Amino acid sequence: MERYEGLSSREAAELLAEHGENAIKEKRRSGALAMFAGQFRDALMMILLAATAASAAMGEISEALTIIAIVFLNAVLGFLQEYRTERTLEKLGELSAPTAEVIRDGARRQIPARELVPGDIALVEAGDRIPADGLVLESAVMCCDESMLTGESDGVEKVPSIPERPCKVYMGSLVTKGRGVIQVTGTGGSTEMGRIAGMLGSIEVGQTPLQKRLAQLSKVIGLGCLVVCAVVAATGILRGEPPFEMLLTGVSLSVAAVPEGLPAIVTIALAMSVGRMVKRNALVRRLHAVETLGCATVICSDKTGTLTENRMTVQELRTPEQIIRLRYQRKGDSFFCGENPVSVRDHTGLRMMLTVAAVCSSAVLTTKKGVDGGIRNQASGEPTEAALLLAAARGGVTREKLGWEVLREQPFDSARKRMTVCAKGPDGTLRVLTKGAPDVLLERCTRYLTQKGEQTLTKEKKDKILAQVAEMGESALRVLAFAWRPAAGPTDVQERDFIFLGLAGLMDPPRQEAFEAVRKCRRAHIRPIMITGDHGVTARAIAQQLKICREGDLVVTGAQLDQWDDHRLKDQLDRVAVFARVTPAHKLRIVRALKEQGNIVAMTGDGVNDAPAIKEADIGVAMGKGGTDVTKEAASVILLDDNFATLVAAVEEGRIIYGNIRKFIRYLLSCNIGEVVTMFFAMLMGMPVPLLPIQILLINLVTDGLPAIALGLEPGEPEVMSRPPRQPDESIFSHGLGATILLRGILIGLTTLGVFGWMLRQGAPLEAARTGALLTLILTQLIHVFECRSETRSLFAVPLSSNPKLVGAVTVSASVAAAAVWWAPAREIFLTAALSGQQLQLIILCCAIVPVISGLVLALRSGKSRRLEE
């Protein structure tokens, strides 16, 4: 390596000025002020601000201040969530190497990786991150993990470049074995990672389904306010009332019709849901994203590290006579033939094969004390080598325990496809041990080992062994063969006349929790699709194990996808369970095709190659541990434990939160309609105004606050993960919710108006009648909040104990209402009067009748739905 002069300091400085720093330009993050201002870009927030202006114009300063306080609270909550998440992201680890070792001015120097320039000569070794894209000039058995770019879990061997066959390394990949010299060819945005990151800029982020539904709701409320204002003003003018007073009255009613607390309660409910998800290792970057997960119809999942452990393990060992499978359990046996445990000590062939795996290896075995006090084996090095070393250690076979000493080594290379060592055993016996590709190694074997001793390796026996290799390959196993022979001397590494010992099948296994997660997805009518850069055979095998790929499903490769036009892709999309050997552009195309079919698409991933598709998807999910910074920046949700099961829990949480949003929209709008009906019909009937502005304010404070927030904490219903996902264009008032809100609001209003009119006819003072209307309106609303806990069950069918916070909130609200009526200082503020026992009994009776009528309507509707289903 001393023969490389490298760049001079002057050349490097000039190139740095020309090409810029070796860093991917980060998207400029919004400042705190811009982030806060962004919380007000919402139609409902605009309506509330208009209501504030109208209240102030009418002299209702307290009403205006209340609305402003609610709007400000909503903005603060949204800002705090977004700001906290952005700061958390800044603390997540960087992907690129912080420093690099280069040759400058003919000498080795350690420099910040940001200062690398094209033409630099960089030195890398096992454990290093590749600091920039480059060509391999020298390689000493160098192997790189490029799964973050390719999606493949296998290491990639790097050999010196020649003009007709350049060998490249890529920024951010990890050197797992060996060492090498590279010449930098691309830095910063010119790297492969930078190119993929650049694709993100062309993707626009649309509104979430919840934001679309709330926008729709805002239009309905806005139109309703205009209609109420116009009708009331016109009615009063026709009756001969002063036009200006009627206009002010209409505006006052419109303000009463606006659910001021809705934005704040939606934000609080989402923020609390986000808090629960953080405890379950899911970090939500954008508040509304949690609800979007709840309506996902498709989850496109990367394979490596997401559905699998991203860790090569030995699955089975085959001696010439037996198939032995490994079980990776903490206690008990690890090796089984069928259901019978196998003793490595008593099985000569198995013990010899594991000895070759332990001694003929470039990986290093270490031990670590676990939290339970037990000893854990760990292996560092190339993934396949490390997996073999750990499997041998499970059988109690390690180089140190057995006392083997390696005297001579012939390392693995892609041309020979094998590794061979000469080693001395504990008894001084010299042996040549080898492992490698089965077809290559079998050609160098003349005998094979059985429990009875050595046998001649005939052509027929070779064919049977190769048939076993093919069978293992179809199960997505990477197969290696093992052999040994007596050595002629301490330097003997000739690869001939070996005794065949057996085969090992390795794979990156599925995560255990992924099995249950996929099953839950199926039950929830969510379609899982695997999208990976790995081989089709491997991808199919993993997908079949997880039940992602079922009978009749297709596995489509990137090469096939290139031959399909968009029309054929959409035509075949419903049958495809796995996309294999795909590029970042393929992933982007697949996600767009799914969205064009009307799906709500969730896309998971960890590598840079996943980032464009993650940003394009309706909900992008990045891995917190293994994910790259580019991927995390593009995602809406980050799984801090890289666990697919956490994603399923987030989907469930999303469904629960949307159900709760529907519940308190039902509650708030029913209550507001009740208020409007009370005021509107009283005016039409020529009655006195039943409620004063200060009393309307009290109602909103008592009923729209704590009870609605507590309703947002309602636990999920048992069948929440058994229902199909909502249709993307489904109205927030679907499934009869709009009719339910209207009916219940009218009942609340008519009940209040009935009590008000009855008390006036009984000769009660106007102040007492208004107090009766006030109490009736509050109590009917507080009873109604319990009806809103379920859309399919009556308030008597849902136990109070499942949401004690709601019981507490209603108790507090009822106490405040009672104080406003029976506490003298409060009566002066709210202009109320103490009621008699008879009047109170009437109010309670009328309030109790309303849920009975609603319950009958719900029962009739449920019976009709069941008959239609039958």
Side-chain angles (χ1 to χ4, degrees):
M1 296 181 187
E2 288 72 10
R3 58 193 175 90
Y4 296 107
E5 286 292 324
L7 298 174
S8 67
S9 298
R10 181 178 177 181
E11 289 173 325
E14 291 173 352
L15 288 168
L16 186 62
E18 178 184 348
H19 295 278
E21 288 190 337
N22 176 36
I24 297 172
K25 292 183 179 179
E26 293 184 2
K27 182 180 177 182
R28 187 177 178 183
R29 297 184 187 272
S30 299
L33 188 60
M35 204 178 291
F36 182 73
Q39 308 303 317
F40 296 92
R41 296 171 192 160
D42 180 88
L44 190 55
M45 297 287 280
M46 298 298 180
I47 292 175
L48 289 176
L49 292 174
T52 303
S55 297
M58 293 185 298
E60 301 294 342
I61 303 302
S62 58
E63 174 83 9
L65 291 175
T66 301
I67 299 175
I68 280 290
I70 291 172
V71 170
F72 186 76
L73 174 64
N74 177 71
V76 168
L77 288 170
F79 165 75
L80 288 176
Q81 169 63 24
E82 190 173 338
Y83 184 81
R84 184 171 62 247
T85 303
E86 291 299 321
R87 299 294 80 79
T88 302
L89 282 172
E90 288 179 2
K91 295 178 182 178
L92 293 174
E94 294 186 354
L95 176 67
S96 56
T99 61
E101 188 175 4
V102 299
I103 297 177
R104 292 265 179 96
D105 302 310
R108 292 191 182 195
R109 292 173 56 186
Q110 197 85 11
I111 65 169
R114 286 178 171 269
E115 296 179 8
L116 277 175
V117 295
D120 258 326
I121 304 297
L123 314 176
V124 293
E125 60 183 21
D128 289 346
R129 288 264 180 203
I130 300 294
D133 285 7
L135 287 173
V136 179
L137 300 181
E138 290 187 15
S139 172
V141 203
M142 186 168 71
C143 195
C144 292
D145 176 3
E146 297 176 351
S147 60
M148 49 159 286
L149 284 170
T150 65
E152 295 185 47
S153 55
D154 291 343
V156 181
E157 185 185 0
K158 300 298 179 181
V159 297
S161 298
I162 56 177
E164 59 270 19
R165 193 194 65 214
C167 182
K168 296 182 178 181
V169 290
Y170 302 98
M171 179 183 189
S173 57
L174 180 69
V175 181
T176 58
K177 184 173 72 171
R179 61 185 185 278
V181 180
I182 65 171
Q183 182 175 35
V184 175
T185 58
T187 59
S190 299
T191 62
E192 183 69 14
M193 188 190 303
R195 187 186 68 79
I196 294 174
M199 294 173 65
L200 300 176
S202 63
I203 300 171
E204 296 182 3
V205 179
Q207 285 187 316
T208 69
L210 178 60
Q211 289 171 320
K212 292 176 183 176
R213 289 174 176 83
L214 289 179
Q216 177 194 49
L217 176 61
S218 301
K219 292 176 184 177
V220 172
I221 291 173
L223 181 62
C225 289
L226 291 175
V227 171
V228 168
C229 182
V231 171
V232 169
T235 302
I237 291 170
L238 290 175
R239 285 172 50 187
E241 300 289 344
F244 183 71
E245 287 186 15
M246 283 299 94
L247 182 61
L248 289 180
T249 302
V251 172
S252 178
L253 272 178
S254 299
V255 172
V258 176
E260 298 96 338
L262 181 58
I265 294 168
V266 168
T267 303
I268 290 169
L270 288 172
M272 288 182 172
S273 178
V274 165
R276 290 194 297 270
M277 290 176 67
V278 167
K279 292 178 181 177
R280 300 179 72 171
N281 292 312
L283 173 68
V284 178
R285 292 190 60 209
R286 287 180 277 277
L287 211 53
H288 288 266
V290 61
E291 180 275 336
T292 314
L293 270 172
C295 53
T297 58
V298 176
I299 295 180
C300 297
S301 177
D302 187 32
K303 178 183 75 67
T304 305
T306 307
L307 291 167
T308 66
E309 296 179 3
N310 197 18
R311 178 177 60 88
M312 291 294 287
T313 58
V314 178
Q315 299 294 302
E316 66 179 54
L317 298 166
R318 296 198 180 196
T319 68
E321 297 172 304
Q322 283 183 311
I323 298 176
I324 300 166
R325 289 190 167 84
L326 274 77
R327 297 181 187 173
Y328 290 88
Q329 47 202 19
R330 290 194 174 182
K331 294 182 179 180
D333 298 302
S334 298
F335 299 85
F336 290 82
C337 183
E339 292 300 317
N340 301 316
V342 176
S343 169
V344 175
R345 181 181 299 176
D346 300 331
H347 197 299
T348 304
L350 177 60
R351 187 175 70 253
M352 289 183 175
M353 187 158 49
L354 293 178
T355 299
V356 174
V359 178
C360 185
S361 175
S362 59
V364 177
L365 185 72
T366 57
T367 57
K368 182 180 179 181
K369 193 172 183 179
V371 292
D372 58 356
I375 300 299
R376 300 279 184 270
N377 289 316
Q378 293 182 328
S380 57
E382 197 275 329
T384 300
E385 298 271 8
L388 290 169
L389 214 56
L390 288 172
R394 278 193 166 267
V397 178
T398 66
R399 189 185 302 184
E400 292 73 22
K401 278 186 180 181
L402 298 180
W404 283 82
E405 178 187 359
V406 176
L407 305 176
R408 187 76 176 267
E409 177 182 327
Q410 196 164 357
F412 176 89
D413 65 57
S414 57
R416 291 171 44 256
K417 296 184 179 180
R418 57 192 179 275
M419 175 184 182
T420 305
V421 299
C422 180
K424 183 169 69 173
D427 58 355
T429 303
L430 297 178
R431 288 190 181 273
V432 180
L433 301 85
T434 187
K435 71 175 189 295
D439 55 337
V440 173
L441 209 58
L442 278 171
E443 292 302 316
R444 287 158 177 76
C445 294
T446 56
R447 290 157 293 166
Y448 66 95
L449 187 66
T450 69
Q451 290 291 83
K452 296 179 181 179
E454 296 175 11
Q455 306 289 329
T456 302
L457 185 61
T458 62
K459 184 180 183 304
E460 182 182 0
K461 184 62 177 178
K462 281 185 182 180
D463 290 341
K464 287 183 179 180
I465 294 172
L466 290 173
Q468 287 185 322
V469 172
E471 178 189 334
M472 295 168 75
E474 289 174 0
S475 300
L477 294 176
R478 182 180 181 184
V479 187
L480 290 177
F482 299 83
W484 71 357
R485 65 171 176 82
T491 60
D492 179 13
V493 286
Q494 294 187 49
E495 296 168 328
R496 56 177 177 77
D497 298 329
F498 284 118
I499 303 166
F500 176 76
L501 299 175
L503 305 169
L506 304 90
M507 76 181 317
D508 178 13
R511 289 178 177 266
Q512 287 303 308
E513 56 271 24
F515 289 91
E516 176 64 15
V518 171
R519 190 187 68 80
K520 283 186 177 180
C521 285
R522 294 288 190 190
R523 193 182 67 193
H525 304 273
I526 299 170
R527 179 184 169 205
I529 299 176
M530 180 188 290
I531 303 180
T532 177
D534 216 336
H535 296 274
V537 173
T538 304
R540 179 191 288 275
I542 296 293
Q544 286 176 336
Q545 289 184 46
L546 291 171
K547 306 300 183 187
I548 290 175
C549 185
R550 300 184 292 190
E551 188 174 351
D553 288 340
L554 299 179
V555 176
V556 177
T557 64
Q560 291 174 288
L561 201 55
D562 286 332
Q563 297 174 1
W564 290 2
D565 58 19
D566 290 343
H567 181 268
R568 186 174 181 188
L569 173 59
K570 291 175 186 176
D571 186 56
Q572 298 289 333
L573 203 50
D574 290 341
R575 299 176 56 208
V576 181
V578 177
F579 288 96
R581 284 296 194 187
V582 292
T583 65
H586 288 142
K587 294 183 179 184
L588 200 56
R589 185 183 171 200
I590 293 164
V591 171
R592 284 175 174 165
L594 286 166
K595 289 176 68 177
E596 287 172 9
Q597 284 189 337
N599 291 291
I600 299 296
V601 183
M603 173 73 191
T604 72
D606 53 3
V608 176
N609 61 329
D610 299 318
I614 280 179
K615 187 174 181 181
E616 174 67 30
D618 296 288
I619 183 78
V621 184
M623 302 298 117
K625 286 183 178 179
T628 63
D629 286 349
V630 174
T631 314
K632 292 167 187 170
E633 180 66 33
S636 300
V637 175
I638 298 173
L639 304 182
L640 301 179
D641 60 355
D642 292 9
N643 195 330
F644 190 78
T646 302
L647 173 58
V648 177
V651 170
E652 184 175 5
E653 188 66 41
R655 290 191 173 193
I656 292 171
I657 195 61
Y658 183 73
N660 287 350
I661 287 171
R662 276 176 60 98
K663 290 171 186 175
F664 57 66
I665 283 177
R666 171 187 174 186
Y667 171 66
L668 290 175
L669 291 187
S670 295
C671 295
N672 282 48
I673 288 173
E675 295 171 24
V676 170
V677 166
T678 300
M679 300 287 286
F680 182 56
F681 279 90
M683 292 185 63
L684 287 180
M685 296 167 66
M687 299 172 68
V689 176
L691 294 168
L692 298 174
I694 191 66
Q695 293 170 341
I696 293 176
L697 177 61
L698 173 65
I699 292 169
N700 289 341
L701 288 175
V702 169
T703 61
D704 289 3
L706 290 178
I709 293 173
L711 192 60
L713 300 177
E714 191 69 24
E717 298 189 51
E719 65 275 14
V720 69
M721 285 299 280
S722 300
R723 302 168 182 160
R726 301 185 308 279
Q727 292 298 318
D729 57 349
E730 179 182 287
S731 167
I732 203 163
F733 299 110
S734 62
H735 307 296
L737 182 63
T740 300
I741 290 171
L742 187 61
L743 173 64
R744 195 63 173 84
I746 291 173
L747 286 174
I748 290 172
L750 293 179
T751 303
T752 304
L753 197 60
V755 169
F756 180 67
W758 180 85
M759 291 184 68
L760 286 177
R761 284 195 298 272
Q762 295 298 313
L766 180 58
E767 190 177 61
R770 282 175 173 159
T771 304
L774 173 69
L775 268 185
T776 303
L777 200 53
I778 289 175
L779 288 179
T780 51
Q781 291 181 11
L782 293 181
I783 291 172
H784 181 50
V785 76
F786 291 101
E787 294 180 282
C788 295
R789 296 182 67 192
S790 175
E791 293 187 40
T792 57
R793 295 178 290 173
S794 70
L795 64 89
F796 305 106
V798 184
L800 294 176
S801 58
S802 61
N803 190 353
K805 291 184 176 66
L806 180 60
V807 177
V810 168
T811 302
V812 171
S813 295
S815 301
V816 171
V821 176
W822 284 283
W823 187 39
R827 284 204 301 269
E828 294 181 8
I829 297 173
F830 296 107
L831 306 176
T832 58
L835 301 179
S836 67
Q838 183 181 6
Q839 290 171 332
L840 188 60
Q841 287 176 8
L842 171 71
I843 291 170
I844 293 173
L845 178 63
C846 291
C847 292
I849 290 173
V850 179
V852 172
I853 297 173
S854 296
L856 289 173
V857 173
L858 177 63
L860 290 172
R861 184 190 300 164
S862 299
K864 183 179 179 180
S865 299
R866 283 194 295 270
R867 286 195 299 272
L868 289 173
E869 289 174 1
E870 292 171 359

